[in-house]
Amino acid sequence: MTHHYHFEQGDNAKTPLLLLHGTGADEFDLIPLARQISPDATLLSIRGNVVEHGQNRYFSRLPDGTFDQQDLRLRTHALADFIAEIAPKHGIDMSTLVALGFSNGANVASAMMFLRPEILPAAILLRGMVPFVPENPVALDGKKIILQSGMEDPIIPIANAKQLAEIYRVSGAEISHHLMPTGHGLMQQDMLQVRAWLQSHYGD
Ligand code: MLT
């Protein structure tokens, strides 16, 4: 399974970022946001290869709007395989690769953490929700997660965001969860918090 992607070589001393967009966007959508967070980072940005009503996503939804769990698992593994194939070709050390996902992109990043924890050491989840509750406990010790949620998000009930944070917590990940006084859209404060997190964890 292949993906369109965009690569920007940056400063090798900075943490490389894996960009995963929201529904209806593409591999260029998060570039300006990533540049706000880390101006000189290497960026690997991948387009979701499911098209729903003309909108790109990383996995399918069922007609009732819930996630197609079979497709979610299949595409998460395929995405993980794709990243493992191309990241080294671009000189990216995967042990340093941090996901930056918005909405559907955050959800596939969490699915990857649960199903393929070897792929990413850390993830920045912007407006993420529970993709599925892992059947077996996952060991995410040492993983670093920042989750930015909107308290008035009409798509993600706050209880769902808190449940996601709890799954990470019980799995041993180091999770920072910030509740923002806004909806699904991002605010400047999200960027400031993510930047501060990146600086404190990686010195970037
Ligand atoms: C979306 O529309 O992208 C949802 O909020 C999240 C998802 O479908 O994964």
Side-chain angles (χ1 to χ4, degrees):
M1 218 179 269
T2 190
H3 284 264
H4 288 272
Y5 73 96
H6 172 72
F7 174 75
E8 285 184 18
Q9 178 66 55
D11 178 348
N12 281 333
K14 304 284 181 193
T15 299
L17 298 175
L18 170 74
L19 310 188
L20 301 166
H21 62 76
T23 302
D26 63 19
E27 66 275 32
F28 299 102
D29 185 61
L30 292 178
I31 304 285
L33 185 140
R35 287 285 166 237
Q36 266 191 59
I37 293 170
S38 188
D40 303 317
T42 289
L43 304 178
L44 176 62
S45 187
I46 302 182
R47 189 196 304 177
N49 59 6
V50 167
V51 181
E52 183 189 87
H53 309 302
Q55 301 199 305
N56 299 320
R57 293 174 51 82
Y58 294 94
F59 54 85
S60 306
R61 282 185 283 206
L62 297 171
D64 69 359
T66 58
F67 298 159
D68 179 336
Q69 292 294 336
Q70 205 183 337
D71 188 69
L72 168 54
R73 281 166 172 75
L74 191 127
R75 298 216 183 243
T76 298
H77 280 293
L79 180 64
D81 292 342
F82 184 73
I83 294 165
E85 182 194 325
I86 61 160
K89 283 189 187 157
H90 288 289
I92 295 174
D93 171 359
M94 286 179 53
S95 70
T96 64
L97 184 61
V98 176
L100 170 64
F102 173 67
S103 193
N104 184 241
N107 299 341
V108 82
S110 282
M112 221 164 6
M113 275 288 176
F114 299 164
L115 294 173
R116 298 287 296 272
E118 79 280 9
I119 298 288
L120 295 166
I124 299 163
L125 306 173
L126 307 172
R127 307 295 184 268
M129 61 194 282
V130 179
F132 59 88
V133 177
E135 297 91 41
N136 302 308
V138 265
L140 298 179
D141 305 85
K143 305 285 187 195
K144 297 180 178 67
I145 309 288
I146 178 170
L147 172 61
Q148 298 290 126
S149 302
M151 283 189 282
E152 287 137 34
D153 192 328
I155 298 171
I156 307 171
I158 203 65
N160 185 297
K162 287 183 176 169
Q163 187 189 0
L164 179 61
E166 189 56 22
I167 292 171
Y168 278 114
R169 201 168 289 120
V170 300
S171 305
E174 183 202 307
I175 163 110
S176 305
H177 188 195
H178 298 129
L179 305 180
M180 314 305 290
T182 187
H184 200 63
L186 300 173
M187 53 195 298
Q188 192 56 27
Q189 181 118 6
D190 283 296
M191 299 303 99
L192 296 174
Q193 289 179 342
V194 170
R195 236 188 123 140
W197 179 87
L198 210 55
Q199 274 162 359
S200 74
H201 285 84
Y202 298 95
D204 281 6

